[in-house]
């Protein structure tokens, strides 16, 4: 997993600069007597960046730009809070400042957990409670590039969250000379889609195989001079070509994921080799288990079977290993990476990490330097808000799953894979419709029972079903297609095409009056609607002047006769594991 490495070494470890003053109970900045009295960790030699300057090139040609000072912010030279006596307003405290005295261990761990909840996203915001200048220092660490309109425009607290996590095989950065393809622009080598449920009770991570054959759509891309260039798409190619190749940026991978799964991404994060090395070292290592000895000359992993705590170069070697595990291919490496991420998540959420100021500062430094994010989350404040949402689910309810695939039947020498159907589409539908892959109860039992009850009871004959069909976001012509199918094949002759709905809908719904429940149950059986899609309400008058139900085809509509019921269980043969379980790589 790697993108651009920064290739810089810090002169001063920021974690060593903050110490506890036993007289005040506060963490204070410790500087050498000869050092300038600044609350920002020391400069990184000539590699440091001033405000408004452009630094190293980011992933896929991105530039690192220091963010401008926020409107109304006071100049640090005059009014910045003193690092020796860090007091703050309630708003500042809510943004992550530590209190005046350390809280008891249990309470402190719980509080910090809310600010470091983006563990899978590598906990970028754990140290944002330092002085204002340190906050600005972390902001200046962040590299961001545009999502070019491929995303939703940003996550929201009142809906599910989808984040694209990418690691590339581009070889850049100090200490990374021996990895990757020397002359390659990089690929989407490791791709994960993190879906966090609307109610934050659970989350799913989908692993996308890099050798999956798919279509890459046209990608409008912002150039360095601010102009837009459309990078042509590509049909029937490897998924990993969605990044780096033909100057494609992470926004192209975003669009490819949406085309493939139907999931619209809120944000992306791109990791480099150093993300694995520095973050694992920051938390004091990640625990892994091997069921056999592994000595992989390609990844340089050399470990005997049993349990180990790994960090740095050894951790990077672990996640890059594939020839020595499973069947020796990319799918085996995906399982290994899922085990590693589950273990890292447990370590990040442990009290040993959450209650350690030095570890949290190291994590903030490492995360902000090692990741490239989309411009919608290019500040510590925005990352903190995102992290608070991501921290609400329990690790036991985080499920890793690999998109179901089979060997490409068009190849004699098997090198690529294609989606395994219908399992792949069923899995995508579950994630889109916010169905947990664990046994988490996402709705109150009462609501579930009510939905199930709508499908139970007598059903009217198809010939007595009266329904108006509206297109509420489906492909053009869907209403007429459905009308023809219902009348010709299903005998629903009292149906009509009522045109387009006033407002688009994400999901197909059937609204009916109190005396039309038997008709609704019949139509639900014919079309494959779930109880959740049935909306008891009122009937409307059709073109014949008689009451009728209203079937509105939403964006989830896939064609006449295609069932719209979301699977309740994970399809068979889908490889999955939860983040709370320790497994040994085989």
């Amino acid at each position: 997993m790697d993108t651009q490495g920064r290739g810089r070494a810090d002169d001063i470890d920021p974690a060593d600069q903050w110490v506890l003053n036993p007289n005040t109970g506060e963490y204070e900045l410790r500087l050498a007597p000869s050092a300038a009295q600044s609350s920002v960790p020391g400069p990184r030699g000539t590699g440091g960046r001033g405000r408004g300057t452009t630094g190293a090139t980011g992933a896929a040609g991105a530039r690192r730009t220091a963010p401008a000072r926020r409107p109304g912010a006071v100049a640090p030279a005059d009014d910045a809070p003193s690092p020796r006596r860090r007091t703050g307003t309630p708003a500042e405290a809510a943004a992550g400042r530590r209190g005046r005295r350390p809280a008891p261990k249990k309470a402190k761990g719980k509080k910090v957990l809310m600010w470091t909840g983006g563990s899978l996203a590598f906990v970028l915001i754990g140290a944002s409670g330092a002085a204002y200048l340190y906050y600005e220092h972390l902001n200046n660490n962040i590299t961001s590039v545009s999502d070019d309109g491929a995303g939703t425009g940003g996550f929201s607290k009142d809906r599910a969250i989808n984040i694209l996590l990418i690691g590339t095989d581009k070889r850049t950065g100090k200490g990374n000379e021996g990895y990757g393809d020397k002359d390659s622009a990089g690929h989407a080598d490791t791709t994960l889609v993190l879906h966090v449920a609307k109610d934050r009770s659970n989350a799913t991570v989908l692993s996308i195989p890099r050798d999956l054959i798919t279509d890459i759509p046209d990608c409008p891309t912002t150039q360095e001079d601010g102009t837009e260039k459309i990078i042509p798409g590509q049909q029937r190619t490897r998924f990993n070509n969605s990044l780096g190749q033909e100057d494609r940026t992470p926004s192209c991978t975003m669009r490819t994921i949406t085309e493939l799964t139907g999931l619209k991404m809120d944000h992306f994060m791109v990791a480099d080799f150093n993300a694995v090395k520095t973050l694992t070292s920051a938390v004091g290592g990640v625990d892994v288990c091997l069921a056999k000895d592994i000595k992989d000359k390609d990844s340089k992993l050399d470990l005997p079977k049993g349990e180990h705590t790994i960090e740095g170069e050894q951790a990077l070697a672990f996640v890059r290993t594939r020839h020595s595990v499973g069947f020796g291919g990319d799918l085996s490496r995906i399982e290994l990476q899922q085990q590693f991420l589950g273990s890292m998540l447990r370590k990040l959420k442990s009290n040993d990490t959450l209650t350690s100021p030095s570890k949290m500062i190291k994590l903030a430094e490492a995360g902000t330097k090692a990741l490239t994010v989309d411009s919608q989350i290019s500040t510590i404040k925005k990352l903190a808000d995102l992290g608070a949402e991501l921290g609400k689910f329990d690790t036991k309810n985080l499920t890793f799953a690999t998109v179901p695939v089979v060997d490409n039947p068009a190849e004699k020498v098997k090198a690529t894979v294609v989606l395994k159907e219908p399992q792949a589409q069923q899995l995508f539908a579950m994630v889109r419709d916010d169905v947990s892959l664990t046994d988490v109860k996402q709705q109150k039992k009462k609501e579930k029972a009510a939905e199930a009850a709508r499908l139970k009871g007598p059903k009217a004959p198809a010939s007595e079903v009266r329904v108006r069909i509206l297109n509420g976001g489906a492909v053009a012509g869907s209403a007429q297609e459905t009308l023809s199918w219902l009348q010709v094949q299903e005998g629903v002759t009292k149906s009509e095409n009522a045109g387009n709905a006033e407002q688009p809908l994400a999901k197909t719904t059937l609204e009916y009056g109190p005396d039309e429940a038997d008709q609704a149950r019949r139509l639900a059986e014919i079309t494959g609607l779930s109880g959740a899609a049935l909306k008891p309400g009122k009937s409307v008058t059709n073109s014949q002047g008689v009451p009728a139900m209203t079937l509105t085809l939403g964006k989830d509509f896939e064609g006449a006769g295609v069932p719209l019921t979301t699977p309740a269980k994970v399809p068979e043969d889908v490889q999955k594991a939860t983040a709370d379980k320790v497994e040994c790589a085989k």
Side-chain angles (χ1 to χ4, degrees), residues 142-153:
I142 298 171
T143 299
S144 66
V145 294
S146 175
D147 70 358
D148 299 312
T152 62

Side-chain angles (χ1 to χ4, degrees), residues 423-456:
Q423 288 89 337
Q425 297 307 324
Q426 291 172 347
L427 181 60
F428 295 154
M430 290 183 72
V431 178
R432 285 197 305 268
D433 291 344
D434 221 14
V435 176
S436 175
L437 272 61
T438 63
D439 294 329
V440 178
K441 295 176 181 177
Q442 295 179 269
Q443 298 173 310
K444 295 178 181 178
K445 290 183 178 180
K446 201 174 201 182
E447 293 175 348
K448 279 189 159 185
E451 291 176 1
R454 293 169 196 162
L455 298 174
K456 295 179 180 178

Side-chain angles (χ1 to χ4, degrees), residues 206-229:
L206 291 181
S207 293
I208 313 295
R210 65 178 187 180
D211 296 324
L212 173 66
I213 295 299
T214 189
D215 295 336
I216 299 174
D218 291 344
C219 298
T221 306
T222 303
Q223 304 299 295
E224 290 189 8
D225 61 1
T227 61
E228 183 180 277
K229 172 185 176 182

Side-chain angles (χ1 to χ4, degrees), residues 128-418:
S128 61
Y132 171 73
L133 290 181
Y134 186 57
Y135 174 93
E136 289 294 280
H137 161 75
L138 291 179
N139 272 338
N140 291 342
N141 278 349
I142 298 171
T143 299
S144 66
V145 294
S146 175
D147 70 358
D148 299 312
T152 62
F155 77 96
S156 174
K157 294 182 179 181
D158 59 357
R159 57 178 171 80
I161 298 174
N162 294 313
I163 301 176
L164 178 63
L165 305 173
I166 312 172
T168 85
D169 55 3
K170 184 177 181 180
R171 189 194 73 170
T172 52
K174 184 177 180 180
N176 299 323
E177 295 84 357
Y179 305 119
D181 184 348
K182 178 179 178 181
D183 300 317
S184 174
H187 303 78
D189 194 53
T190 297
T191 304
L192 306 170
V193 175
L194 169 63
H195 172 87
V196 183
K198 178 180 178 180
D199 65 3
R200 307 297 187 254
S201 66
N202 66 92
T204 299
V205 176
L206 291 181
S207 293
I208 313 295
R210 65 178 187 180
D211 296 324
L212 173 66
I213 295 299
T214 189
D215 295 336
I216 299 174
D218 291 344
C219 298
T221 306
T222 303
Q223 304 299 295
E224 290 189 8
D225 61 1
T227 61
E228 183 180 277
K229 172 185 176 182
I230 297 181
I231 301 175
Q234 193 173 355
Q235 305 296 307
R236 306 297 297 168
T237 186
R238 278 181 166 89
F239 174 85
N240 66 356
N241 288 326
S242 64
L243 179 68
Q245 308 306 298
E246 309 299 330
D247 294 327
R248 294 188 180 103
T249 66
S251 66
C252 290
T253 308
M254 255 187 160
R255 296 182 193 278
T256 305
I257 285 290
T258 299
E259 287 272 322
L260 179 69
T261 67
L263 289 164
K264 187 87 168 180
M265 296 294 103
D266 296 302
H267 301 288
F268 64 73
M269 297 182 180
V270 186
D272 63 13
F273 278 146
N274 292 327
V276 176
K277 293 191 288 187
T278 59
L279 287 168
T280 53
S281 295
V283 297
V286 173
D287 300 327
V288 297
C289 181
L290 298 178
K292 63 180 181 180
D293 298 344
I294 291 183
K295 190 169 185 177
D296 192 322
K297 65 178 182 179
D298 294 314
S299 71
K300 301 180 177 63
L301 181 65
D302 188 356
L303 283 177
K305 68 177 181 179
E307 298 181 357
H308 305 274
T309 300
I310 59 176
E311 62 178 276
E313 294 286 350
Q314 199 171 46
L316 178 59
F318 186 87
V319 298
R320 294 183 67 245
T321 294
R322 62 188 177 104
H323 297 302
S324 301
V325 293
F327 295 103
D330 186 50
L331 296 181
S332 297
R333 185 180 67 160
I334 285 175
E335 291 187 38
L336 195 73
Q337 291 174 347
Q338 291 174 348
Q339 294 168 19
F340 177 86
L341 288 172
S343 179
M344 188 169 184
L345 179 60
R346 293 191 296 272
K347 189 65 175 283
L348 287 168
K349 283 198 170 186
S350 69
N351 278 338
D352 287 345
T353 299
L354 296 175
T355 59
S356 170
S358 63
K359 286 184 178 180
M360 297 314 300
I361 292 175
K362 285 181 178 179
L363 279 169
E365 286 285 336
T368 52
K369 291 176 185 176
L371 297 180
T372 295
V373 301
D374 66 88
S375 54
Q376 304 291 342
I377 47 171
S378 59
T379 67
I380 293 297
K381 175 63 170 63
K382 291 179 180 178
L383 287 169
D385 291 342
L386 176 60
E389 294 302 305
L390 300 182
K392 293 179 179 178
F393 63 84
D394 195 307
T395 53
K396 69 180 181 181
N397 296 326
L398 170 62
T399 306
F400 293 98
T402 303
V403 172
V405 294
V406 294
D407 287 334
N408 188 349
E411 296 176 335
K412 291 183 178 180
V413 177
K414 303 304 180 185
T416 62
V417 294
V418 296

